[in-house]
Amino acid sequence: MILTDHAALATQLQAYILEHIPLARAMELRVARHEGAELELAAPLAPNINDKGCAFGGSMASLMTLAGWGLVELALRARGIECDIYVGDSTVRYREPLFGELRAIARFAAADALEVFLKTLAARGRARIQVVCTIAGETQDAATLEAAFVAKTC
Amino acid sequence: MILTDHAALATQLQAYILEHIPLARAMELRVARHEGAELELAAPLAPNINDKGCAFGGSMASLMTLAGWGLVELALRARGIECDIYVGDSTVRYREPLFGELRAIARFAAADALEVFLKTLAARGRARIQVVCTIAGETQDAATLEAAFVAKTC
């Protein structure tokens, strides 16, 4: 069974992240939107600012990493699968300075990625999935992340 | 003239980072060591922990990014050069979970990288330099970063 109450799952995820990851509390992270195939996390600029008055690269990388991790976490929770999910290799591109709220949108990198991931996880107790994430800027993406996440059955 | 009082520069850098980057304060970052060609930043585990009891990937990425940025910043400050320095493209590899203090060591990627960077910056008012950074784990590096930093004369 797939639990499709995305709003309830998103609320639970936000509470879980804020309880267990102190840096997410410091960032004032919130789950802005969840639609199964996409997860959007947001954070205000003030706690994530740098010395040049724009978003700190580490905050953007952290928010995008959490969005990717959260997307995988929610896909598994919706199916009642308990796993530890770890971030693997990541590439972050910083394209332009961001002088407003940080909004990171994570998606699976391929249309069939989730299906393959779930089958592998069921068969082997361990699987890897590729996620892409973007933070919108004024004229283009302010930053992008491509990352692998590894799930292991608890 | 190159200012070689690395300890004084390191103290100034720590104060600057903690004043201007709130997330670095939340991470309880400190400058552990600076020797011109290497910069080591440290942060305790507690404020940087994740839901699995080990170091949060975003904290490791942030600490390594700041170590790389700080290494470039200090090389320029030692020479009295005022610049804005931005992080460019980065690759982070997470190799093993880290259950202790985070210690990130940044170095220039090539022996002649700084010399080329300074010459280009003097000629064009803008230059790029490649930095590598590692966080030691128990049996291998817990995480590594390869990143480009871009400096622009103010």
Side-chain angles (χ1 to χ4, degrees):
Chain A
M1 193 195 77
I2 302 176
L3 183 62
T4 52
D5 185 350
H6 295 312
L9 284 170
T11 304
Q12 287 167 21
L13 183 75
Q14 180 174 312
Y16 182 84
I17 290 175
L18 295 179
E19 182 184 347
H20 292 287
I21 304 180
L23 209 71
R25 285 199 296 279
M27 292 171 64
E28 299 179 22
L29 174 150
R30 66 186 174 83
V31 176
R33 188 171 54 91
H34 178 230
E35 292 168 7
E38 271 192 23
L39 175 67
E40 182 172 353
L41 300 185
L45 180 61
N48 296 294
I49 208 160
N50 68 11
D51 60 310
K52 290 166 281 291
C54 54
F56 167 49
S59 285
M60 292 203 282
S62 295
L63 194 69
M64 291 192 291
T65 303
L66 281 169
W69 171 85
L71 181 70
V72 181
E73 178 82 24
L74 287 181
L76 295 178
R77 285 192 190 188
R79 290 160 181 83
I81 304 168
E82 296 254 333
C83 274
D84 275 341
I85 302 161
Y86 294 89
V87 60
D89 294 351
S90 307
T91 301
V92 182
R93 293 188 174 84
Y94 301 94
R95 295 178 185 279
E96 67 170 37
L98 175 65
F99 292 92
E101 187 185 36
L102 290 70
R103 301 186 75 94
I105 299 175
R107 301 176 187 88
F108 298 114
D112 65 343
L114 183 60
E115 194 186 330
V116 173
F117 170 74
L118 291 169
K119 278 187 187 163
T120 309
L121 190 63
R124 299 186 196 165
R126 182 191 169 106
R128 173 182 297 261
I129 190 164
Q130 203 71 19
V131 171
V132 293
C133 191
T134 56
I135 293 180
E138 274 189 32
T139 64
Q140 59 178 327
D141 290 335
T144 64
L145 169 98
E146 294 175 25
F149 290 86
V150 178
K152 296 178 197 174
T153 311
C154 295
Chain B
M1 191 196 78
I2 304 176
L3 184 61
T4 52
D5 186 349
H6 295 312
L9 283 170
T11 304
Q12 287 169 22
L13 182 76
Q14 179 174 311
Y16 182 84
I17 290 175
L18 295 178
E19 183 184 346
H20 293 286
I21 305 180
L23 209 70
R25 285 199 296 278
M27 293 172 64
E28 300 180 23
L29 173 151
R30 66 186 175 82
V31 176
R33 187 169 55 90
H34 178 231
E35 291 168 7
E38 271 191 23
L39 175 66
E40 181 172 351
L41 300 186
L45 179 61
N48 297 294
I49 208 160
N50 68 11
D51 60 311
K52 289 167 280 289
C54 55
F56 168 49
S59 285
M60 292 204 282
S62 295
L63 194 69
M64 291 192 291
T65 302
L66 280 169
W69 171 84
L71 181 69
V72 181
E73 177 82 25
L74 287 180
L76 295 178
R77 285 192 189 188
R79 289 161 181 83
I81 304 168
E82 296 254 335
C83 275
D84 275 341
I85 302 161
Y86 294 87
V87 61
D89 294 349
S90 307
T91 301
V92 181
R93 293 188 175 86
Y94 301 94
R95 296 179 185 278
E96 67 169 37
L98 175 65
F99 292 92
E101 188 184 35
L102 289 70
R103 301 187 75 94
I105 300 175
R107 302 176 186 88
F108 298 114
D112 66 344
L114 183 60
E115 194 186 331
V116 173
F117 170 75
L118 292 170
K119 277 186 188 165
T120 308
L121 189 63
R124 299 185 197 166
R126 182 190 170 106
R128 173 183 294 261
I129 190 164
Q130 202 71 20
V131 171
V132 293
C133 192
T134 56
I135 293 181
E138 272 191 33
T139 64
Q140 59 179 325
D141 290 334
T144 65
L145 169 98
E146 295 175 26
F149 290 85
V150 178
K152 296 178 195 174
T153 312
C154 295

